[in-house]
Amino acid sequence: MMEGSPGPPLMTAAPASAPAAAAGYERGDWASAFRNVGVELDGVELSAARGSIPPELVGTLYRNGPGQLERGGQWVHHPFDGDGMITALRFDAGKATLRNRFVRTEGWLAEEEAGRFVYRGVFGTQKPGGPLANAFDLRLKNIANTHVVRLGDQLLALWEAAEPHALDPETLDTRGITLLDGVLKKGEAFSAHPRFDPGHHGAARMVTFGVKTGPSSTVRLMEFAAVDDPASGVRAGQLIAERRDSFKGFAFLHDFAITPNWAVFLQNAVAFNPLPFVMGQKGAAQCLASKPGEAGQFWLIPRPGSAAAANPKPIQVPAPEGFVFHHLNAFEDEATGALVVDSIFYDDFPSIGPETDFRTIDFDTIPAGRLQRCRINLEAARRGGASAAAAVTTEVLEERCCEFAMVNPHRQGLQARYAWMAVAGRERGNDPLQAIEKLDLVSGERQVWSAAPRGFVSEPVMVPRDATASEDAGWVLVPIWNSARCGSDLVVLNAADLSEQAVVELPLAIPYGLHGSWVAG
Ligand SMILES: [Fe+2]
């Protein structure tokens, strides 16, 4: 039990070896989260409905995700096409304060005024009027819905195919598209998956990338100062290093991983045929198709200024079969010299066809994510040819359907003992995410906290107690769709044993979210 906090846990974590419940959810409960967020709130003070908020938990949880899924009676084709809505929950002295705002993107403003969709969505949402009304409209609607991070004096609402939107961290007011002091060109892709280097090369950095793809793909790796450094005069938000590398082939790169020496990318084996998009039949992302029998590739790019950059050429090495959106972490194994990358693999690219309503999808027909470790022998990978083909060995770390995994942020890029992730309610098969798992990456021991049968989880965020405490000291903040009350909750778990500390009932109904981050203090 943590000092100064809660009484007895409200719900005890059960070992995963306990008998799994049968598929323990109702489809209607799961689908009831898909709705528009109808209000924007300001500074609403909240206390725990159950348990108590740990007073040592001081900072702000920012979350992003689709908040507008329907206009004029038309639903988005896929929730990923929903406009970005930011929620900020500030914790201090055992209380929480809530604020939420839609990002005032050009598209959101235009569609608010029109009362209907006036842009196509990347994941298949079409303007009213059928293919003729959509053909040759190749504008991208920057919906700013994927992630939200603090950089310098601004929040960045991220969407990977275009520039970030800057927001005021306190009011969440949209300042507008930012080119980050001239770092970006207008319209330049900027990943929604920055990684925060806790200090591999001195002060903390935000490492991220943009990818320009086509018959060949160029990755721009960028490293920004994450904190002010009075000694050097570098300010938080300033670009301090970058490089560009081109690779053959189309690339779909949603996430990446870092270590002190490497930026690690996995180029999935997918092809892109834009014709149905151009002709108004499909969204751009629906034109991605896996290439059966073809392997993806790891692209290992030496980070600027690192020891590995003495040999600056990137290393390319075949990856195991499967499709990856997200990585857990990567690290350099000192004992063997191997580069280790932990990722969530799917057997195939999960896609929703043009005729399918996302609210009726059959989970059994969609591949489930599993956490898999790839150990890359760098020496063999550098030799290329047959050596490279045998340079990667794999190990499944978690077969239970999982997503949204993270390590303690102080272990980003370093070997970590623990991972926290969202998992399905059942131990096998594909189901909605209803539980949180803490996985010991060394012993394989698991602990699970479940929101089933009527609760559904979004991405958990692990908040460390402090930089010097043990790796699992802290909290896990979990947004829940509570279908029993048709509202959203925020659950605070003890990161060490997943015991429930507090349930905060939000006066909001928020659809399943994408990514979020914690800003301490
Ligand atoms: Fe993501």
Side-chain angles (χ1 to χ4, degrees):
M1 186 149 320
M2 294 181 300
E3 291 171 14
S5 66
L10 302 172
M11 195 181 293
T12 308
S17 55
Y25 73 97
E26 296 287 337
R27 171 179 293 277
D29 283 347
W30 169 75
S32 66
F34 297 116
R35 56 181 64 216
N36 292 338
V37 176
V39 290
E40 294 186 317
L41 302 175
D42 268 320
V44 178
E45 283 209 9
L46 302 168
S47 49
R50 287 187 282 154
S52 56
I53 298 170
E56 314 95 309
L57 183 64
V58 179
T60 305
L61 176 70
Y62 293 104
R63 297 213 50 93
N64 198 352
Q68 182 87 31
L69 300 176
E70 174 273 331
R71 281 197 191 275
Q74 184 189 350
W75 285 79
V76 293
H77 184 71
H78 192 295
F80 292 175
D81 278 342
D83 298 279
M85 199 280 297
I86 309 292
T87 308
L89 260 177
R90 171 156 182 78
F91 293 90
D92 194 10
K95 294 272 183 199
T97 310
L98 171 72
R99 188 181 300 267
N100 74 301
R101 280 289 183 283
F102 277 92
V103 185
R104 266 56 176 171
T105 63
E106 194 180 318
W108 185 85
L109 290 167
E111 293 181 346
E112 278 288 291
E113 192 170 333
R116 61 183 169 81
F117 292 121
V118 296
Y119 285 83
R120 305 172 70 188
V122 166
F123 287 87
T125 305
Q126 303 282 44
K127 296 183 292 184
L132 274 180
N134 288 276
F136 305 109
D137 180 356
L138 309 185
R139 295 174 301 163
L140 276 178
K141 180 186 175 193
N142 181 344
I143 51 177
N145 74 351
T146 313
H147 200 348
V148 55
V149 297
R150 176 85 183 244
L151 184 66
D153 67 354
Q154 54 196 2
L155 278 184
L156 300 179
L158 301 171
W159 185 69
E160 68 192 22
E163 322 93 319
H165 282 76
L167 314 179
D168 183 298
E170 299 301 324
T171 64
L172 304 184
D173 288 344
T174 303
R175 294 174 178 163
I177 280 180
T178 174
L179 301 180
L180 302 173
D181 291 330
V183 169
L184 301 178
K185 289 203 174 80
K186 196 167 183 318
E188 185 171 338
F190 192 74
S191 165
H193 272 283
R195 293 274 170 178
F196 284 86
D197 164 347
H200 302 152
H201 302 284
R205 295 182 183 184
M206 184 181 96
V207 186
T208 191
F209 68 98
V211 58
K212 188 164 186 261
T213 192
S216 73
S217 300
T218 300
V219 176
R220 183 184 184 193
L221 184 69
M222 292 165 270
E223 306 211 358
F224 296 87
V227 291
D228 291 331
D229 181 4
S232 65
V234 171
R235 288 179 302 105
Q238 203 170 323
L239 184 72
I240 48 179
E242 69 167 317
R243 60 177 288 170
R244 282 186 169 86
D245 295 275
S246 293
F247 301 87
K248 275 188 199 159
F250 174 82
F252 175 81
L253 303 174
H254 175 66
D255 190 11
F256 79 134
I258 57 166
T259 71
N261 278 289
W262 301 98
V264 181
F265 294 87
L266 200 165
Q267 179 205 24
N268 288 298
V270 291
F272 179 62
N273 169 16
L275 197 60
F277 168 57
V278 174
M279 299 311 289
Q281 295 155 336
K282 287 183 173 182
Q286 291 174 306
C287 299
L288 291 170
S290 59
K291 296 197 278 189
E294 285 194 34
Q297 271 202 332
F298 283 111
W299 294 345
L300 312 179
I301 300 178
R303 287 181 57 190
S306 70
N311 183 357
K313 195 164 176 260
I315 298 175
Q316 294 176 248
V317 59
E321 276 189 36
F323 185 91
V324 170
F325 286 109
H326 295 129
H327 304 285
L328 164 65
N329 192 29
F331 64 94
E332 297 159 26
D333 184 350
E334 286 175 16
T336 63
L339 181 66
V340 182
V341 190
D342 295 340
S343 314
I344 293 170
F345 276 79
Y346 295 84
D347 283 341
D348 200 353
F349 173 62
S351 176
I352 299 178
E355 306 307 324
T356 307
D357 180 336
F358 69 88
R359 292 166 294 175
T360 65
I361 54 169
D362 179 356
F363 279 85
D364 289 335
T365 64
I366 300 177
R370 65 181 180 278
L371 182 65
Q372 186 165 297
R373 171 161 288 183
C374 292
R375 188 175 281 277
I376 306 171
N377 178 325
L378 289 176
E379 287 310 310
R382 271 200 192 91
R383 284 196 295 274
S387 293
V392 180
T393 56
T394 63
E395 173 192 358
V396 174
L397 299 175
E398 182 50 86
E399 281 205 75
R400 185 173 182 154
C401 172
C402 56
E403 247 305 347
F404 300 132
M406 74 178 287
V407 298
N408 181 316
H410 297 297
R411 305 303 300 167
Q412 181 77 247
L414 308 172
Q415 184 161 16
R417 176 78 190 254
Y418 303 108
W420 292 266
M421 66 195 90
V423 295
R426 284 186 301 173
E427 286 187 49
R428 291 291 177 270
N430 192 21
D431 275 333
L433 301 169
Q434 291 194 277
I436 301 299
E437 176 172 311
K438 177 195 180 196
L439 175 63
D440 184 327
L441 296 164
V442 175
S443 72
E445 189 186 338
R446 299 160 172 85
Q447 288 179 297
V448 173
W449 172 90
S450 177
R454 303 205 68 188
F456 300 83
V457 306
S458 288
E459 177 197 62
V461 172
M462 191 275 170
V463 178
R465 177 182 281 270
D466 61 56
T468 56
S470 64
E471 194 182 315
D472 60 352
W475 303 274
V476 181
L477 306 184
V478 190
I480 305 279
W481 173 250
N482 182 342
S483 66
R485 67 176 194 88
C486 269
S488 297
D489 296 341
L490 193 286
V491 173
V492 181
L493 304 177
N494 180 330
D497 63 5
L498 298 191
S499 58
E500 194 175 285
Q501 309 296 292
V503 177
V504 182
E505 294 183 348
L506 310 185
L508 281 176
I510 309 172
Y512 302 116
L514 293 169
H515 301 293
S517 57
W518 172 256
V519 177

